[in-house]
């Protein structure tokens, strides 16, 4: 919280807090603080901490962080509730890069995630090492709000030939320049 409240760091645009053992109570203290000065953040890296859907769900709904363009929450215990929080978010709309590698988003969660109004602005999405099967890939491939997406990472999920075929035939993914689907079925 001290970093976010510092008048010295109030012009910070990129903050890397990966691998710091930050837990929900730490992130919630920042989100709920009335004294946050760091309001120009564009890149926030919270990867490989001890965060869960509880704090990340509040983060994506917080107006304090509505300017974030790149969020890395990989290697945390986030999943379907974070996907649902994004779908309900009114403030997290400038995001261009979202990294949720090694999360817990499954076919139900991807359905909620695809309802997020900010999805249309994403350029890069990393959902590698989640729990997506062919049914989840079917929803993703049918989504009409992925026209800006250029990089899609889906390695180490649970889909097979059917999911690969759906990705290959998806008009919504026609602007992709990078697709990663290794280590699936």
């Amino acid at each position: 919280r001290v970093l976010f409240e510092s008048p010295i760091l109030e012009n910070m645009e990129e903050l890397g807090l990966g691998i710091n053992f930050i837990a929900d109570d730490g992130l919630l203290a920042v989100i709920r603080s009335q004294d946050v000065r760091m309001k120009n953040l564009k890149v926030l890296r919270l990867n490989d901490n001890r965060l869960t859907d509880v704090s990340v769900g509040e983060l994506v709904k917080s107006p304090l962080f509505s300017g974030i363009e790149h969020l890395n929450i990989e290697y945390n215990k986030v999943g379907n509730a974070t996907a649902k929080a994004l779908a309900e978010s009114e403030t997290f709309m400038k995001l261009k890069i979202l990294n949720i590698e090694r999360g817990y988003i499954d076919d139900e969660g991807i359905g909620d995630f695809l309802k997020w109004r900010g999805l249309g602005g994403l350029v890069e999405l990393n959902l590698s090492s989640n729990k997506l099967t062919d049914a989840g890939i079917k929803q993703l491939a049918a989504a009409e709000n992925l026209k800006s997406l250029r990089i899609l990472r889906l390695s180490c999920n649970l889909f097979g030939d059917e999911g690969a075929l759906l990705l290959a035939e998806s008009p919504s993914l026609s602007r992709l320049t990078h697709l990663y689907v290794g280590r699936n079925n």
Side-chain angles (χ1 to χ4, degrees), residues 15-22 43-51 56 70-77 99-102:
L15 180 61
L17 294 171
I19 315 172
N20 272 304
F21 303 101
I22 299 169
V43 178
L44 180 58
R45 290 185 171 85
L46 293 167
N47 55 294
D48 208 356
N49 279 290
R50 294 181 176 164
L51 302 173
V56 176
H70 179 170
L71 178 64
N72 185 336
I73 52 174
E74 70 180 4
Y75 289 82
N76 283 289
K77 291 183 180 180
N99 186 343
I100 312 178
E101 183 172 347
R102 215 200 99 211

Side-chain angles (χ1 to χ4, degrees), residues 4 10-12 34-41 64 67:
F4 286 89
E10 69 183 348
N11 294 316
M12 188 70 50
Q34 299 296 316
D35 299 318
V36 170
R37 307 276 301 258
M38 199 180 288
K39 297 181 180 179
N40 294 320
L41 274 181
L64 281 175

